[in-house]
Amino acid sequence: CDLVKGAHDAWSGWLCVLLVGVCAGALAGVIDIGASWMTDLKFGICPAAFWLNREQCCWSSNETESVHGNCSQWWVWSEIIGGKNYKEGAAAYIISYLCYVLWAVGFATLAASLVKTFAPYSAGSGIPEIKTILSGFIIRSYLGKWTLLIKSVGIMLSVSSGLMLGKEGPMVHIACCIGNILSYLFPKYGRNEAKKREILSAAAAAGVSVAFGAPIGGVLFSLEEVSYYFPLKTLWRSFFCALVAAFVLQSINPFGNEHSVLFYVEYNKPWIFFELIPFIGLGIIGGLIGTLFIKANIWWCRYRKTSKLGQYPITEVIVVTLLTAVLAYPNPYTRMPTSQLIYLLFSQCGLSVKDDICDYKRNYDRAQTGGVEMAEAGPGVFNAIWLLLLALVFKFIITIFTFGIKVPAGLFIPSLCFGAIVGRIVGIAVEQLAFVHSELWFFSGECLKGEDCITPGLYAMVGAAAVLGGVTRMTVSLVVIMFELTGGVRYIVPLMAAAMASKWVGDALGRQGIYDAHINLNGYPFLDSKEEFGHTTLAADVMQPRRGEPLCYVTQDSMTVEDVENLLKETEHNGFPVVISHESPFLVGFVLRRDLNLAITNAKQTIEGVDSNSLCWFTNHPPAEQSRTVRPPYTPVKLKKILDMAPITVTDQTPMETVVDMFRKLGLRQTLVTHNGRLLGIITKKDVLRHIKQMDDEDPNSVLFN
Amino acid sequence: CDLVKGAHDAWSGWLCVLLVGVCAGALAGVIDIGASWMTDLKFGICPAAFWLNREQCCWSSNETESVHGNCSQWWVWSEIIGGKNYKEGAAAYIISYLCYVLWAVGFATLAASLVKTFAPYSAGSGIPEIKTILSGFIIRSYLGKWTLLIKSVGIMLSVSSGLMLGKEGPMVHIACCIGNILSYLFPKYGRNEAKKREILSAAAAAGVSVAFGAPIGGVLFSLEEVSYYFPLKTLWRSFFCALVAAFVLQSINPFGNEHSVLFYVEYNKPWIFFELIPFIGLGIIGGLIGTLFIKANIWWCRYRKTSKLGQYPITEVIVVTLLTAVLAYPNPYTRMPTSQLIYLLFSQCGLSVKDDICDYKRNYDRAQTGGVEMAEAGPGVFNAIWLLLLALVFKFIITIFTFGIKVPAGLFIPSLCFGAIVGRIVGIAVEQLAFVHSELWFFSGECLKGEDCITPGLYAMVGAAAVLGGVTRMTVSLVVIMFELTGGVRYIVPLMAAAMASKWVGDALGRQGIYDAHINLNGYPFLDSKEEFGHTTLAADVMQPRRGEPLCYVTQDSMTVEDVENLLKETEHNGFPVVISHESPFLVGFVLRRDLNLAITNAKQTIEGVDSNSLCWFTNHPPAEQSRTVRPPYTPVKLKKILDMAPITVTDQTPMETVVDMFRKLGLRQTLVTHNGRLLGIITKKDVLRHIKQMDDEDPNSVLFN
């Protein structure tokens, strides 16, 4: 029987993550399909079958179509409103423009209204909050079913509206909601917050896994960025959960191709040693862009919090969307969905890519044999570079204002996009350099005259990794995600070099990644496990009460019910240390306010003879020294049951470095401070957080706490 | 100045891992080149340039040659001894056979002698010991320069001798030696054991990175299998270290091709859904083989430890090598180096592979167009299957006796080899099934009649992963390593499925992986962080002294030098708790035996007036209560400096689950047990390890401790 129970115990965890994986994968499929359909709705509709998006619509028509091209089955709005002839021309352009803007504003407004009305927690990316939750803070209903529902619908709407945001961060939040809801099916996980966090870590991995189609990257993201405690058991579960989720999503096949990843590319040219210099250069640029973005975004979010702007969230969404849509439409690179732009920038130029960016002077002599080598850029490429630069500036500025508005919004896709644009431009520059000066020593032996030995798409990928690294300060998980996206072992070194450069530059300019910066901005009580506490303060310097203030405690057998009730009334502490007596304050244990309150109320109601003058006993046997004659023989209230006899203690001489380490590693909420066994005070997590802020010359009162 | 110091502090870690990476990569290159040359020396020599191995020798001759073929520049031993005509025939075979055996025994004997004479610690794989060292145990000179030197030379010799072992595990040990030696250049790391372990974790990652050419896999291996504490900072450093090492190795290019990985394969066929069943089947087989191997190997190692066999290590090596060489030569699949066999089994059959295993009935009609589809197996394939089965049985049995002999020896390659053989055979079976019964429903739509839709090489890879998973119980790192080896995102799901199945089956049959089993066998004090402590014992049940025994402690101001010296003589504890006095044993602090000994000896020699009757004061001010007239005014010995005022304490009612957790997470060596502030006893790491063994019904006295 013990064996069966043990097996059930062990399996319930696996079963739970299996269910989480299946649900996350399925929901991600639904969201992908929905978002893609609604995105295309901005441009037109498939009258034959309105539920198809443009790509699917054109499949059924069996026509060949280019990336931008429309097939006859797909009607753009100008055609629907003005008739079949309104496909081109100024009037058609204006109609399309208007429809685009209207749909965009409509979607965004709907998303914001839903969020505001039903689930305010579903705004934003959710990753800072999940980090905080996984560090031990409880935010009620942050991972509830309403958040799940509204965030799922909202992310489809906000992505479709063409705002500069991605669905990857929210997907992590959605997966965590699923994890939280499903954990209630398994009492072992639902009832224990610490155990539940194991499921949430696995769910976060599944979220990234389905967002990018990168299961290993998801596990590492959960390990590196999201989770606080990540024991090996969680590693295996996360791995399984991410695998299942990716597999389910792959079976649904929302992208309609055989690859489950978001941006599948396959390069075949090796990189040459010299290229490490531009790659590291891209890393440095990525770190700079990332830091600049964080600083600007935090500045704007702080302004929103402190000004009147924060009171009009829906208006803000409408204004931002209107601006985005109006400014985005004229430039083809901003008009197309961001993920499509990234895909275009990552891809290798081949005969099938008709975009300006691939307007190379082609060597048609060899076109017959299948291998077309391109090298010299045509005018289209230079045109594309100008448009891309404009797109970069526009997207960068608008994203600063977008991340933080009250719709579900992730930052991965915009970051990747900035980097891809920069990278592609650098890549084209290096490519042309190699073409024109292939005699330079660092190209010699690698690049033949007139042949193309540089892949600008690879630069886009490296640049994307660099900016994402600069924004989030991920390293290993970033490289693995990019590596899973492309499926090339060869490009690990370039990606790693860029990620390290980006992280170093970023950390030199500003310590925190965007998530930590938002945690800090919102004042969440997050005890960062990455940073070392390097100061030499002692526990005695941090503990409450401060010098001169009285210490609140309960004695084990000499306080009356009235005394305890007064203590409960006068203070707001979550718990109280229990000591032997006023005269010898040796520590006995710790009692929670909640338990004490409940036990006393209960005892007064149910046990006869208990009133305000009854003694509270935290011992089993009556006190020996005190003569019972002093007090009338009131029935004592026995409270030993609720006493925690094993509180974690430190001495007053313990360095705060050790104390912080204990808080982090053991997940403490408080520790008691003693000297030679005598109780001196208490250090709570809040005290620790405040102390760290104080040591870093920040405002200690900005820490929220529940 | 503080900024400069801080920057230097921060950079010294990066610089140290950079150096470790460079050295590990360079040394790995040397070992690869040396081992490959010596391996070929068993077969012949390049008279034109004796320092070249066969492949390089044949390059210079510009001849085309098959995998097995010899070019005219390369002379096999029969040719050298008997003249150019002795290339084939019985006499040539016998000469070659003899030379093969002699070289093998010679190499192995030399390796064993070197190990025995100069560095006994360089035997075996080293991973169990490194795990133990990283968990906080110190084994002197285990990572010293002699070990480094002898292990590097020894691994070349033992790999070349054709024994069933690999160089991957020892490469981790070698990298850790480099890390240990180089850390002494940086006082911050060399002087602090905890900091040094961070470098060692990074070095372990670099070791795997160069062993397989898999930097990310290396980092994950270090995280999952080797390291005990793995903070995020270490993750980044490991990542950097592994990257640098892989890059240096790639620049040296020991394999003489553009890929830095050991077994580079590139499949291009997608797998079909039905194949998950054989993949999971392979996982189950892998778990079974792995567990069987562990149990058999541990049984044999225990027999070696307890019998006379252990006294003749060199004889054992000679006997095992002789057996291996004599039995291996006749079968071509055991004659070739194991890594070459794995490469052959992983590879896809193409026109260039001339081995029996690719003896398919080829469709020569299409050979012109480049795409040769093969499907029906020819007689050579069946012949190869028999030989492979024989090879599997032989290799499996001999490896059981090989792992544990006194030469440097890793287990990765043999495990991969078992799995690759099983996998290839299963793959061929599925392939033939698909060919003959392509009308079956699960193949329909995927496999066309007469075309080959199954890749047996992929099965070999999945099988290899499964057995390696069964032996080591790795999961994520295993998948990432295999994935980096092959460079295909597509095959993550098969690999993950097999790895999970293998781990589950393995864990169901026997809890421990091979490394943990060897740690247990050798009685290293390793506190496993993977297993939960699920018992309900309390700290009071575990602490020393047991009921009735006296508690050893020092009082803060009432013991004389003589008292303390007697205590030091009578006990062997590493440290003593300090209490207020005999009457009120409230805990003041903790003092280490070493410090106490030193301080007293010092004081007696240098301070005038100190003799055996002097009082030892752990306080600053003289004791108030005791009248000084009782003792003559001997000068007191002031010991406050050596007193640790912040010992970690727990109460006697603390559940052992919490105590074990504190030991693991805080890396404690001991904790003091108190009750209401009074000292009751002490729990050392040894007590915890013994208690865990006791709870698991194992012999608690098998734990070693220094």
Side-chain angles (χ1 to χ4, degrees):
Chain A
C1 179
D2 264 12
L3 202 72
V4 172
K5 213 176 153 193
H8 175 258
D9 226 47
W11 280 96
S12 72
W14 289 104
L15 187 62
C16 185
V17 293
L18 173 73
L19 287 177
V20 172
V22 170
C23 294
L27 189 53
V30 171
I31 291 173
D32 281 344
I33 291 168
S36 127
W37 178 72
M38 288 203 285
T39 302
D40 284 347
L41 206 59
K42 293 208 304 287
F43 298 97
I45 201 164
C46 194
F50 72 90
W51 60 87
L52 295 180
N53 67 17
R54 190 176 63 192
E55 204 183 346
Q56 292 158 337
C57 183
C58 291
W59 275 346
S60 58
S61 77
N62 268 331
E63 281 174 55
T64 52
E65 50 114 27
S66 71
V67 170
H68 294 293
N70 295 311
C71 59
S72 61
Q73 293 277 326
W74 177 259
W75 289 35
V76 294
W77 291 113
S78 58
E79 287 174 281
I80 292 167
I81 292 166
K84 251 318 186 186
N85 301 327
Y86 266 85
K87 204 154 184 177
E88 301 202 353
Y93 187 85
I94 291 167
I95 292 174
S96 298
Y97 199 159
L98 272 177
C99 288
Y100 179 93
V101 173
L102 283 178
W103 277 111
V105 173
F107 286 147
T109 314
L110 185 55
S113 315
L114 284 174
V115 166
K116 197 186 170 198
T117 319
F118 297 104
Y121 281 143
S122 57
S125 99
I127 292 180
E129 286 80 9
I130 288 166
K131 278 188 82 163
T132 313
I133 288 172
L134 288 177
S135 82
F137 188 62
I138 295 167
I139 309 179
R140 298 233 173 272
S141 87
Y142 193 81
L143 299 174
K145 54 184 182 303
W146 276 105
T147 311
L148 171 64
L149 186 69
I150 297 301
K151 191 131 195 176
S152 305
V153 175
I155 191 63
M156 284 193 255
L157 288 166
S158 61
V159 165
S160 315
S161 72
L163 281 166
M164 273 305 289
L165 46 81
K167 60 180 158 32
E168 284 61 30
M171 212 76 115
V172 173
H173 186 180
I174 288 170
C176 284
C177 290
I178 293 175
N180 179 51
I181 292 166
L182 289 178
S183 73
Y184 287 108
L185 297 180
F186 302 89
K188 184 180 170 192
Y189 294 93
R191 285 200 198 136
N192 182 330
E193 288 295 329
K195 286 270 167 198
K196 193 195 280 173
R197 287 197 283 270
E198 291 180 12
I199 300 290
L200 293 183
S201 286
V208 176
S209 168
V210 292
F212 289 104
I216 299 176
V219 173
L220 288 174
F221 180 77
S222 178
L223 164 68
E224 187 179 354
E225 193 58 44
V226 182
S227 298
Y228 201 75
Y229 306 108
F230 206 84
L232 279 176
K233 212 174 52 188
T234 308
L235 184 71
W236 298 326
R237 297 241 171 98
S238 303
F239 182 48
F240 180 66
C241 189
L243 169 72
V244 169
F247 190 71
V248 169
L249 181 65
Q250 199 175 7
S251 308
I252 295 175
N253 196 4
F255 302 116
N257 58 26
E258 60 171 309
H259 307 298
S260 62
V261 300
L262 202 50
F263 313 112
Y264 190 82
V265 282
E266 209 166 293
Y267 308 130
N268 41 32
K269 289 184 202 134
W271 55 280
I272 60 180
F273 190 76
F274 160 74
E275 289 187 279
L276 265 191
I277 297 171
F279 291 148
I280 289 174
L282 280 176
I284 295 170
I285 297 174
L288 291 174
I289 293 182
T291 313
L292 187 63
F293 178 81
I294 294 170
K295 294 218 185 283
N297 179 253
I298 290 295
W299 173 81
W300 178 249
C301 287
R302 182 159 289 140
Y303 173 74
R304 182 189 294 123
K305 271 186 101 161
T306 50
S307 73
K308 270 191 178 170
L309 186 63
Q311 296 164 23
Y312 307 103
I314 295 187
T315 318
E316 192 192 358
V317 170
I318 293 174
V319 170
V320 171
T321 316
L322 199 64
L323 269 175
T324 309
V326 168
L327 293 173
Y329 193 83
N331 184 338
Y333 293 118
T334 49
R335 189 194 309 166
M336 66 171 78
T338 312
S339 56
Q340 205 172 312
L341 174 60
I342 298 173
Y343 185 71
L344 176 69
L345 294 169
F346 278 13
S347 62
Q348 216 173 349
C349 282
L351 278 181
S352 62
V353 183
K354 291 274 185 293
D355 197 90
D356 258 2
I357 205 152
C358 286
D359 178 30
Y360 287 86
K361 291 184 178 143
R362 287 178 192 182
N363 189 344
Y364 284 104
D365 306 347
R366 296 223 229 147
Q368 314 303 322
T369 59
V372 178
E373 299 290 329
M374 295 163 294
E376 200 183 342
V381 172
F382 296 105
N383 188 26
I385 289 179
W386 280 115
L387 286 176
L388 283 174
L389 276 177
L390 276 179
L392 175 64
V393 171
F394 162 67
K395 277 176 182 273
F396 186 78
I397 293 172
I398 207 81
T399 307
I400 291 170
F401 297 104
T402 305
F403 191 69
I405 60 174
K406 297 290 172 222
V407 292
L411 254 190
F412 279 93
I413 291 284
S415 310
L416 288 174
C417 183
F418 307 155
I421 294 176
V422 174
R424 186 83 189 197
I425 293 172
V426 171
I428 291 173
V430 176
E431 183 192 42
Q432 295 308 311
L433 182 72
F435 173 73
V436 179
H437 297 289
S438 59
E439 73 286 356
L440 287 176
W441 62 270
F442 42 78
F443 293 126
S444 63
E446 309 278 357
C447 289
L448 296 175
K449 180 78 192 160
E451 292 224 338
D452 196 11
C453 61
I454 305 287
T455 314
L458 174 61
Y459 283 77
M461 199 171 82
V462 170
V467 174
L468 186 54
V471 171
T472 61
R473 305 294 153 83
M474 291 150 61
T475 52
V476 187
S477 50
L478 176 65
V479 174
V480 174
I481 288 174
M482 297 308 288
F483 166 51
E484 283 188 272
L485 288 185
T486 61
V489 219
R490 275 199 192 163
Y491 306 114
I492 292 185
V493 170
L495 286 171
M496 276 183 153
M500 294 305 313
S502 161
K503 185 171 166 61
W504 281 344
V505 170
D507 281 352
L509 295 176
R511 250 174 11 181
Q512 294 175 314
I514 187 85
Y515 302 127
D516 290 333
H518 272 266
I519 285 174
N520 205 6
L521 176 74
N522 292 325
Y524 296 130
F526 181 74
L527 187 55
D528 197 343
S529 56
K530 286 176 202 166
E531 281 172 47
E532 268 178 59
F533 181 84
H535 306 285
T536 53
T537 44
L538 298 178
D541 305 329
V542 179
M543 70 181 188
Q544 298 289 342
R546 307 305 311 145
R547 235 169 274 276
E549 291 169 28
L551 172 63
C552 297
Y553 57 81
V554 180
T555 58
Q556 67 174 356
D557 53 15
S558 56
M559 276 170 85
T560 62
V561 167
E562 201 179 352
D563 295 340
V564 173
E565 281 176 335
N566 284 338
L567 186 69
L568 285 171
K569 247 179 252 158
E570 282 158 22
T571 64
E572 289 187 332
H573 302 308
N574 282 322
F576 303 92
V578 179
V579 298
I580 292 182
S581 65
H582 294 294
E583 297 75 38
S584 55
F586 295 105
L587 183 67
V588 173
F590 191 78
V591 64
L592 287 177
R593 179 194 193 85
R594 200 181 46 214
D595 294 341
L596 197 57
N597 228 331
L598 209 69
I600 288 180
T601 320
N602 231 358
K604 279 170 78 176
Q605 286 170 356
T606 57
I607 304 175
E608 220 169 304
V610 170
D611 77 357
S612 297
N613 289 323
S614 298
L615 280 175
C616 290
W617 284 0
F618 288 94
T619 50
N620 280 333
H621 43 79
E625 296 159 30
Q626 288 181 330
S627 62
R628 253 184 270 176
T629 51
V630 175
R631 292 182 184 279
Y634 291 111
T635 315
V637 182
K638 289 190 179 170
L639 295 172
K640 181 139 196 211
K641 280 194 305 292
I642 62 164
L643 180 67
D644 173 13
M645 304 272 285
I648 302 284
T649 59
V650 296
T651 69
D652 57 336
Q653 296 300 308
T654 310
M656 272 311 284
E657 201 180 335
T658 310
V659 177
V660 170
D661 205 46
M662 287 173 75
F663 269 86
R664 279 178 191 156
K665 290 186 177 159
L666 303 177
L668 304 181
R669 303 199 133 251
Q670 71 277 318
T671 180
L672 299 170
V673 184
T674 60
H675 180 78
N676 298 2
R678 284 162 187 265
L679 179 70
L680 285 188
I682 185 166
I683 298 179
T684 63
K685 192 166 174 186
K686 193 179 183 179
D687 298 326
V688 172
L689 285 164
R690 280 187 169 161
H691 181 67
I692 290 176
K693 290 241 174 202
Q694 211 163 18
M695 288 286 123
D696 294 348
D697 292 327
E698 288 175 47
D699 177 19
N701 292 320
S702 65
V703 180
L704 277 180
F705 219 84
N706 61 345
Chain B
C1 181
D2 265 9
L3 202 73
V4 172
K5 214 177 156 193
H8 174 259
D9 227 45
W11 280 95
S12 72
W14 289 104
L15 187 61
C16 185
V17 294
L18 172 72
L19 288 176
V20 172
V22 170
C23 294
L27 189 53
V30 171
I31 291 173
D32 282 344
I33 291 167
S36 126
W37 179 71
M38 289 203 284
T39 302
D40 285 347
L41 206 58
K42 294 208 304 288
F43 298 97
I45 201 165
C46 195
F50 72 91
W51 60 88
L52 294 181
N53 68 15
R54 190 175 63 193
E55 204 182 346
Q56 291 159 337
C57 184
C58 291
W59 274 347
S60 58
S61 78
N62 267 330
E63 282 174 54
T64 53
E65 48 112 30
S66 71
V67 171
H68 294 293
N70 295 311
C71 60
S72 61
Q73 294 276 327
W74 177 258
W75 289 35
V76 294
W77 290 113
S78 59
E79 287 175 280
I80 291 166
I81 292 165
K84 249 320 187 189
N85 300 327
Y86 267 84
K87 203 153 185 179
E88 300 203 351
Y93 187 84
I94 290 167
I95 292 174
S96 298
Y97 199 158
L98 273 177
C99 288
Y100 179 92
V101 173
L102 283 177
W103 277 111
V105 173
F107 286 148
T109 314
L110 185 56
S113 314
L114 284 174
V115 166
K116 198 185 169 199
T117 317
F118 296 104
Y121 280 144
S122 57
S125 98
I127 292 180
E129 286 80 8
I130 288 167
K131 278 187 81 163
T132 314
I133 288 172
L134 288 177
S135 82
F137 187 64
I138 294 167
I139 309 179
R140 298 237 171 269
S141 88
Y142 193 82
L143 299 174
K145 54 183 181 303
W146 277 104
T147 311
L148 171 63
L149 186 69
I150 298 300
K151 192 132 195 174
S152 305
V153 176
I155 191 62
M156 284 194 254
L157 289 167
S158 62
V159 164
S160 315
S161 73
L163 281 166
M164 274 303 292
L165 45 80
K167 59 180 159 31
E168 284 62 29
M171 212 76 116
V172 174
H173 186 179
I174 288 170
C176 284
C177 289
I178 294 174
N180 179 50
I181 292 166
L182 289 178
S183 73
Y184 287 108
L185 297 180
F186 302 90
K188 184 179 171 193
Y189 294 93
R191 286 200 197 135
N192 182 330
E193 289 296 328
K195 285 270 169 199
K196 195 195 279 175
R197 287 197 281 271
E198 290 179 12
I199 300 291
L200 293 183
S201 286
V208 175
S209 166
V210 291
F212 289 104
I216 299 175
V219 173
L220 288 175
F221 180 78
S222 178
L223 164 69
E224 188 179 354
E225 193 58 44
V226 182
S227 299
Y228 200 76
Y229 304 108
F230 206 86
L232 278 176
K233 212 176 51 186
T234 309
L235 184 71
W236 297 325
R237 296 243 172 97
S238 303
F239 180 49
F240 180 66
C241 189
L243 169 70
V244 169
F247 189 70
V248 169
L249 181 65
Q250 198 176 7
S251 308
I252 296 176
N253 196 5
F255 303 114
N257 57 26
E258 63 171 305
H259 305 301
S260 62
V261 301
L262 203 49
F263 313 111
Y264 190 80
V265 282
E266 209 164 292
Y267 309 129
N268 42 33
K269 289 186 202 131
W271 55 281
I272 59 180
F273 190 76
F274 159 75
E275 289 186 279
L276 265 191
I277 296 172
F279 290 147
I280 290 173
L282 280 175
I284 295 170
I285 297 175
L288 291 174
I289 293 183
T291 313
L292 187 63
F293 178 81
I294 294 169
K295 294 219 186 280
N297 181 253
I298 291 295
W299 173 82
W300 178 249
C301 288
R302 183 160 286 139
Y303 172 76
R304 182 189 292 123
K305 273 187 101 162
T306 51
S307 72
K308 271 191 176 171
L309 186 65
Q311 295 163 24
Y312 307 103
I314 295 186
T315 319
E316 192 192 357
V317 170
I318 293 173
V319 170
V320 171
T321 315
L322 200 64
L323 270 174
T324 309
V326 168
L327 293 173
Y329 193 82
N331 184 338
Y333 292 120
T334 50
R335 190 193 307 165
M336 67 170 79
T338 313
S339 56
Q340 206 173 311
L341 174 61
I342 298 173
Y343 185 71
L344 177 69
L345 293 169
F346 277 14
S347 62
Q348 214 172 351
C349 282
L351 277 181
S352 63
V353 184
K354 289 277 183 291
D355 196 272
D356 258 2
I357 204 153
C358 285
D359 178 30
Y360 287 86
K361 293 189 177 138
R362 289 178 190 182
N363 189 345
Y364 284 104
D365 306 348
R366 296 223 229 146
Q368 314 303 323
T369 59
V372 178
E373 298 291 330
M374 295 162 296
E376 200 183 346
V381 172
F382 295 105
N383 188 25
I385 289 178
W386 280 114
L387 286 176
L388 282 175
L389 276 177
L390 277 179
L392 175 64
V393 171
F394 162 68
K395 277 176 182 273
F396 185 77
I397 293 172
I398 206 82
T399 308
I400 291 170
F401 297 103
T402 305
F403 191 70
I405 60 174
K406 296 291 172 219
V407 292
L411 254 189
F412 279 92
I413 291 284
S415 310
L416 289 174
C417 183
F418 308 154
I421 294 176
V422 174
R424 187 82 190 198
I425 293 172
V426 171
I428 291 173
V430 176
E431 183 192 40
Q432 294 308 310
L433 182 72
F435 173 72
V436 179
H437 297 289
S438 60
E439 74 285 357
L440 286 176
W441 62 269
F442 40 79
F443 293 126
S444 64
E446 308 280 356
C447 290
L448 296 175
K449 180 79 192 161
E451 291 223 341
D452 196 11
C453 61
I454 306 288
T455 313
L458 174 61
Y459 283 78
M461 198 171 84
V462 170
V467 174
L468 186 54
V471 171
T472 60
R473 306 293 155 82
M474 290 149 62
T475 51
V476 187
S477 50
L478 176 65
V479 173
V480 175
I481 289 175
M482 297 310 288
F483 165 51
E484 282 188 273
L485 289 186
T486 61
V489 220
R490 273 199 195 165
Y491 306 113
I492 291 185
V493 170
L495 285 170
M496 275 182 152
M500 296 303 314
S502 162
K503 185 173 167 60
W504 280 345
V505 170
D507 281 351
L509 295 175
R511 249 175 11 183
Q512 294 175 314
I514 186 85
Y515 301 127
D516 290 332
H518 272 265
I519 286 173
N520 206 7
L521 176 74
N522 292 324
Y524 296 130
F526 180 73
L527 186 57
D528 197 344
S529 56
K530 287 176 203 166
E531 282 171 46
E532 267 178 60
F533 182 83
H535 307 284
T536 54
T537 44
L538 296 179
D541 306 327
V542 181
M543 70 180 186
Q544 297 288 343
R546 309 303 313 145
R547 233 169 275 276
E549 292 169 26
L551 172 62
C552 296
Y553 58 82
V554 179
T555 57
Q556 66 173 358
D557 53 13
S558 56
M559 276 169 86
T560 61
V561 169
E562 201 180 353
D563 295 339
V564 172
E565 280 177 335
N566 285 338
L567 185 71
L568 285 171
K569 248 180 250 159
E570 283 158 22
T571 64
E572 289 187 330
H573 302 307
N574 282 323
F576 303 91
V578 178
V579 299
I580 292 182
S581 66
H582 295 294
E583 298 74 39
S584 55
F586 293 106
L587 183 68
V588 174
F590 191 78
V591 64
L592 287 176
R593 179 195 192 85
R594 199 182 48 215
D595 293 341
L596 196 58
N597 227 331
L598 208 71
I600 288 180
T601 319
N602 232 356
K604 278 170 80 176
Q605 286 171 356
T606 57
I607 305 175
E608 221 167 305
V610 170
D611 77 357
S612 297
N613 290 323
S614 298
L615 281 175
C616 290
W617 284 1
F618 288 93
T619 50
N620 279 334
H621 41 82
E625 295 159 33
Q626 290 178 328
S627 62
R628 253 183 270 178
T629 52
V630 175
R631 293 181 185 276
Y634 291 109
T635 315
V637 183
K638 288 190 180 171
L639 296 171
K640 180 137 195 213
K641 280 195 302 295
I642 61 165
L643 180 68
D644 173 12
M645 305 272 284
I648 302 285
T649 59
V650 297
T651 69
D652 56 337
Q653 297 300 308
T654 311
M656 272 310 285
E657 201 181 335
T658 310
V659 176
V660 170
D661 205 46
M662 287 173 76
F663 269 87
R664 278 178 190 154
K665 289 185 178 158
L666 303 177
L668 304 182
R669 304 199 131 250
Q670 71 276 316
T671 179
L672 299 169
V673 184
T674 59
H675 180 78
N676 296 2
R678 284 162 188 267
L679 178 70
L680 285 188
I682 187 167
I683 298 180
T684 63
K685 194 167 172 186
K686 194 179 183 179
D687 297 325
V688 172
L689 285 164
R690 282 187 168 161
H691 182 68
I692 291 176
K693 290 241 174 203
Q694 213 164 16
M695 289 286 123
D696 293 348
D697 292 326
E698 288 175 50
D699 176 19
N701 292 319
S702 66
V703 180
L704 277 179
F705 218 84
N706 62 345

